[in-house]
Amino acid sequence: MAPLHQRFRALGRSVSDAVSTIRGRILFAFLTMSLITGALGLYAIAGIQQVGDLVHRTYDESLMSINYARATAADFAKMRSAFARRVESRNAAVIAKLDQEIADLVVTLAEDLTVAVERSQSIRARRTAEAVQAGVTVWDEMRRSFHPEQAEVHSEAWDNLDHQAAVIDGQIDLLVNYTAGDGFAFRQSARTVVSDQITFTALSVGAAMVLAGIVAWLLHRRIIGPLSAASAVAQRIAAGRLDDAIPTGRRDELGRLLTAMATMRDNIRAMMEREVSQRRSAEALLADALQSSREGIVVVDAQGRIVVANAQAAQFFGGLGAEVEAGTAMMPAPGEAPTTEYAAVLAENGKHHLSDGRWLRVSRSPIQGGGFVAVCSDVTQLMEQDQRLTETNRRLDAALDNMSQGLCLYDANHRLMVVNRRYGEIYGLPPGAVAPGMTALQVLARNIETGTMRGRRLEDLVRETRDAFGQGFEHTLFQTTETGRIIAIMGRATGDGGFVATYEDVTERRQAEERIAFLAHHDVLTGLPNRLKFAEQIEGAIAQAGRDDGFALLSIDIDGFRPINDTLGRVVGDEVLQAVANRLSACVREVDCVARLGADEFAVIQRGVERAEDVAVLAKRIGEVISAPYTLSSHRVTLGVTIGIALAPGDGMSGERLMKSADMALDRAKSEARGGFRFFEPEMDARIQAKRLLERDLRDALAAGAFNVHYQPIYDLAAERVCGFEALVRWFHPVRGPVSPAEFIPLAEEIGLIVPLGEWVLRRACEEASRWPADLKIAVNVSAVQFTSASLVTAVRETLRATGLPGRRLELEITESVLVGNPGATTAILHSLKGLGVRVSMDDFGTGYSSLSYLRSFPFDKIKIDQSFVRHLGEPDGTDFIVRAVIGLGGSLGMTVTAEGVETEAQLARLRAEGCDEVQGYLFSRPVPASDVAAVLQRWNGAAQAIA
């Protein structure tokens, strides 16, 4: 290894070389300034930390010590106050509480003294605190020995206690003064430290600024001066002064720059000398090339004398070489006829046919001083090729003119090279309107001037073409003419940089495609957008809603359409739907959208909605317009409309969500009252979710057999006994508890579970009733949905057979709504049930249509008066006349009349007086499980009846 002093010497040289360069100097200056800045920053950080420590100690030690010393005084004052209250009190509980409070204050005082001494860190404070603690201990012992009942020593003891308390107060005041003095001394020390830090920092910043100025001066001295010298040298070289001396520089970049300038000056001088030599050589080579050229070159001076003619020109024109050498070769004067072949050929530019059959092309160029240079080229082969090409083009033109497509071929400069006859026919142009040589822009202009593109602007056609083919010819441009024809334009680039465009009339094909596309997105019957197109419209409205106002989605259901379609036929139904579609379209603006989503389901998008009132106005208008009578080709009908409304963006910002919200609002409107409209509300969604949860639980409960059947007695007023029971299904949810039938029965009808549930209730009720006395009947409710099932009659027959229950003991209760939907089929089912011996009663009579035609078309065994009428019996303006009329009607038709919902003796007495046959209600019993049926019978029928 090298000696240590050599290694240091080498390191020094490296540092010196680095500093001797401009980059090194700048780097050294930057590092120097960075070190100064870093040192100042570190010192500032250390000073801030020291000041922060002083601030922390000022608060944590001095101020806290004073606070805890004062807290000691407060603790002792509380002790004395508590002791004074103890002396005056005669309540043992209060005395005990005050003793405990004094004991706690003794502990608190000791803790406060400890903290005050620890934070003060002063010997005199510690000694004073010890004296305070000792005094408090003495005072506490004196307090303990004080007995208020000893009157003879009472005054003296009080004096001793007060004296001891005064001593303690003095010691505490002394402690407070000591801690305050310690804090003041510490503050003075902290201020001295901060003042020293400020002074040193100010001096350091001043020194750093002086040092920075020195570094900047050195950089200016070492860099700017040499740079000015290099700039002056560059200006002299640029001025062409290549002989001036160039000063030498140091070893830095500027020195190397001056050296490079000297080298550059020498290279420029050498290049100039080399160029002069090459020019002389080029002149000699030009003379050789002129003689060996395959082109004939002839130079004619201002006097018309041929002064130069190369060998090739002499070969083209026999005898020209000899005349040039003799100086007799002359061009004719203006106005004179040429006397030689070469004079006739050289007289003008163009192609000339020589006497020997060859073709020459002459190109004349004027020269300075008058005269010209003529270049003669042998184009015999080119002329023959032109003739062959002309024949080929003729055949090609014939083929192009018989194409079914128009064609235009453009060169690289977008000038027309080829156009066929079909192009003019497609655009309705007169013959010759478009010719080769025209630019593409001129062709478009000609189509507007004389063709079928009148009415279009040139700028529009150019922009349309640029948009389609600006990035290439991958796409097809479809252009519509003034006459409505559709032209498909396709392009393809050619090898020479041009392009070829073909034009095809695709009007019929496009119309067929548009019809197919229209049918894919529109309803065939009404022509309105279908569900797919409507979804696209929603997405467009959502995108626009982010920039403009919101919009509304109206879900529309036509009330009363299905009966018309079923009774009058589909032809009339289609006519009704078309009329509804026309009226809906007339209710909205052009920016809005009307769609048909299903049989009698329509929807509307109302754009630009600022307030809900705007949508309400449209909904009312739609309701009024749609509800107006329709005069069709052979019928006159009336419809209604129910509307659900969702507002965007408040009710959702996706098409699926908005449709769902509008449908939920529509369902709510239909459930409340048809013929109106309802806005979506957030609780509707919660209700739907709860409904879905209930639906799932309902399915699980049916699968698990989690339902029960309860029985409510039916009381015979004539026999004064229970004559039967009505079976009522009950569901006890494991989480929600009892669920009302009014809640789960409609849901079961909606989701199709009412048929299996109804069959299960029928089977369970008949099984239970088969074990009752033979004179008791069982009544089971049958849903209207069950009558749409072909298995109802079979289910009843199989149940009676399996349970052994006679048909006469079974009553099936139906509502009037069963007969409304399809009265013919329903009546047939009811007659089949009567054939099994089953009794049929009309439930809730008077709450539906109450049509007497139903009672006439089918002989019911019983009608039941709804509890809503029974509830108001005996009241002023009550329902007595209605109940009396129904009972009288039942008696006239030979039907049993049963009143539901009897809850009071007054109601029972009024029904008995009116001649009602049977009653049921809470007055007799609530619905009970099968195990309690015997108890009900024993209560109302007297002796207990055996139940198997």
Side-chain angles (χ1 to χ4, degrees), residues 139-219:
W139 183 87
D140 186 61
E141 291 175 355
M142 293 172 65
R143 176 192 65 80
R144 294 175 183 275
S145 60
F146 182 84
H147 299 285
E149 64 276 4
Q150 298 175 0
E152 65 278 3
V153 298
H154 187 73
S155 176
E156 183 180 355
W158 269 115
D159 293 337
N160 292 335
L161 282 170
D162 291 339
H163 179 266
Q164 183 64 24
V167 172
I168 294 172
D169 289 336
Q171 292 294 335
I172 292 175
D173 292 339
L174 187 60
L175 176 63
V176 172
N177 291 334
Y178 285 163
T179 54
D182 293 341
F184 180 79
F186 187 80
R187 187 188 69 171
Q188 292 299 112
S189 177
R191 293 179 63 181
T192 301
V193 171
V194 171
S195 177
D196 293 341
Q197 288 286 347
I198 292 174
T199 302
F200 185 80
T201 301
L203 294 175
S204 300
V205 170
M209 293 179 63
V210 172
L211 184 57
I214 293 173
V215 171
W217 177 77
L218 291 174
L219 285 176

Side-chain angles (χ1 to χ4, degrees), residues 240-272:
R241 296 161 57 185
L242 303 180
D243 296 327
D244 290 353
I246 297 178
T248 58
R250 299 183 180 88
R251 294 186 300 169
D252 55 9
E253 289 89 339
L254 290 175
R256 290 194 293 272
L257 177 62
L258 292 173
T259 303
M261 287 182 174
T263 303
M264 180 179 66
R265 181 200 59 184
D266 296 338
N267 291 337
I268 292 174
R269 186 188 303 166
M271 290 174 59
M272 292 178 63

Side-chain angles (χ1 to χ4, degrees), residues 577-599:
L577 289 176
Q578 291 172 343
V580 170
N582 293 334
R583 292 191 181 186
L584 279 176
S585 300
C587 290
V588 301
R589 303 163 300 176
E590 292 184 359
V591 297
D592 301 330
C593 175
V594 180
R596 183 190 178 202
L597 307 183

Side-chain angles (χ1 to χ4, degrees), residues 279-347:
R279 184 175 298 175
R280 293 172 180 172
S281 176
E283 291 177 354
L285 292 174
L286 179 61
D288 294 340
L290 185 64
Q291 293 300 323
S292 60
S293 174
R294 298 178 58 183
E295 307 293 334
I297 300 174
V298 177
V299 179
V300 180
D301 61 12
Q303 288 73 32
R305 184 173 58 253
I306 299 176
V307 294
V308 174
N310 66 350
Q312 186 63 44
Q315 182 181 358
F316 287 154
F317 308 107
L320 177 60
E323 292 185 16
V324 171
E325 290 180 359
T328 59
M330 295 291 294
M331 293 293 295
E336 294 182 358
T339 58
T340 59
E341 185 177 34
Y342 64 79
V345 171
L346 297 177

Side-chain angles (χ1 to χ4, degrees), residues 708-711 764 768-769 771-772 927-935 947:
N708 293 315
V709 179
H710 285 202
Y711 301 91
R764 175 62 63 86
E768 297 289 347
R771 294 192 286 271
W772 298 345
V928 298
S931 59
D932 295 339
V933 168
I947 295 180

Side-chain angles (χ1 to χ4, degrees), residues 864-945:
K864 299 186 71 174
I865 303 175
D866 188 70
Q867 60 182 346
S868 61
F869 299 115
V870 176
R871 186 180 302 117
H872 299 291
L873 279 174
E875 298 178 0
D877 298 329
T879 56
D880 298 50
F881 70 96
I882 297 178
V883 173
R884 184 180 305 113
V886 174
I887 293 174
L889 178 63
S892 301
L893 296 176
M895 299 179 184
T896 303
V897 179
T898 302
E900 298 179 307
V902 179
E903 299 180 355
T904 66
E905 291 290 347
Q907 293 171 350
L908 178 62
R910 183 58 61 95
L911 290 169
R912 192 188 300 273
E914 294 294 345
C916 187
D917 299 312
E918 297 174 349
V919 292
Q920 65 182 100
Y922 287 174
L923 179 62
F924 299 93
S925 173
R926 291 178 177 272
V928 298
S931 59
D932 295 339
V933 168
V936 174
L937 291 174
Q938 184 177 7
R939 176 186 177 189
W940 293 103
N941 291 2
Q945 292 181 288

Side-chain angles (χ1 to χ4, degrees), residues 640-715:
V641 62
T642 305
I643 304 174
I645 304 171
L647 298 176
D651 296 337
M653 279 304 290
S654 69
E656 181 180 359
R657 178 63 184 173
L658 288 171
M659 285 295 299
K660 178 180 176 183
S661 300
D663 289 340
M664 284 190 286
L666 176 61
D667 292 341
R668 184 66 177 274
K670 290 193 293 186
S671 64
E672 291 180 347
R674 285 185 174 270
F677 62 90
R678 184 67 184 267
F679 285 91
F680 171 77
E681 299 172 357
E683 57 268 18
M684 294 180 183
D685 192 17
R687 188 180 296 108
I688 291 297
Q689 299 301 326
K691 180 180 177 182
R692 290 178 179 172
L693 181 61
L694 183 63
E695 175 185 337
R696 185 195 66 187
D697 294 343
L698 184 62
R699 294 182 186 276
D700 295 341
L702 182 61
F707 294 96
N708 293 315
V709 179
H710 285 202
Y711 301 91
Q712 186 175 35
I714 302 173
Y715 193 79

